[in-house]
Amino acid sequence: MARAATTSDVFNAIAEPRRRDILMLLRSGDRPVNEVAAALGMPQPGASKHLRVLKEVGLVLDRRAGKQRVYGLDAGGLRTVHEWTGGFERFWNESFDRLDAYMQELKAQRVGE
């Protein structure tokens, strides 16, 4: 089965680790593309390409600041990912509850020895 284009949706776009790195970097504030590239140790054209994909799926916004284009996080675009992963929260909570109960059981056995 062919993989969907990286620009088709948020999930495909964030499947690329460098794009996730960019999103994490932009959490601290807006940055021009050359700062993004320098901070991540990548060539400016590569950073621009990743930023373009993130913009197309609605995860970053850009604006002109003089001669530079500045990019910022549009976290609202992550709503889909948040809603999807939130569906697993109950599973993880139940798993941790079972683990906690097991640990308490082991402690009780040790005290009883």
Side-chain angles (χ1 to χ4, degrees), residues 66-110:
K67 293 182 179 183
Q68 293 184 326
R69 185 161 298 281
V70 177
Y71 292 87
L73 182 63
D74 184 4
L78 289 170
R79 183 174 311 280
T80 306
V81 175
H82 176 71
E83 290 170 355
W84 185 79
T85 57
F88 294 95
E89 185 175 0
R90 181 177 169 196
F91 167 80
W92 285 111
N93 286 338
E94 290 172 359
S95 295
F96 288 131
D97 289 346
R98 285 191 307 274
L99 178 60
D100 185 52
Y102 178 69
M103 295 299 293
Q104 295 303 323
E105 189 179 309
L106 288 176
K107 283 182 184 178
Q109 287 176 359
R110 273 196 174 162

Side-chain angles (χ1 to χ4, degrees), residues 24-88:
M24 290 175 53
L25 181 66
L26 294 178
R27 286 190 311 190
S28 64
D30 297 357
R31 294 175 185 253
V33 66
N34 59 337
E35 283 185 25
V36 170
L40 298 176
M42 63 189 323
Q44 186 273 329
S48 292
K49 181 179 174 182
H50 288 306
L51 286 162
R52 183 174 55 251
V53 170
L54 292 169
K55 181 181 175 187
E56 288 176 9
V57 298
L59 294 176
V60 299
L61 300 170
D62 67 333
R63 62 181 166 77
R64 279 271 189 220
K67 293 182 179 183
Q68 293 184 326
R69 185 161 298 281
V70 177
Y71 292 87
L73 182 63
D74 184 4
L78 289 170
R79 183 174 311 280
T80 306
V81 175
H82 176 71
E83 290 170 355
W84 185 79
T85 57
F88 294 95

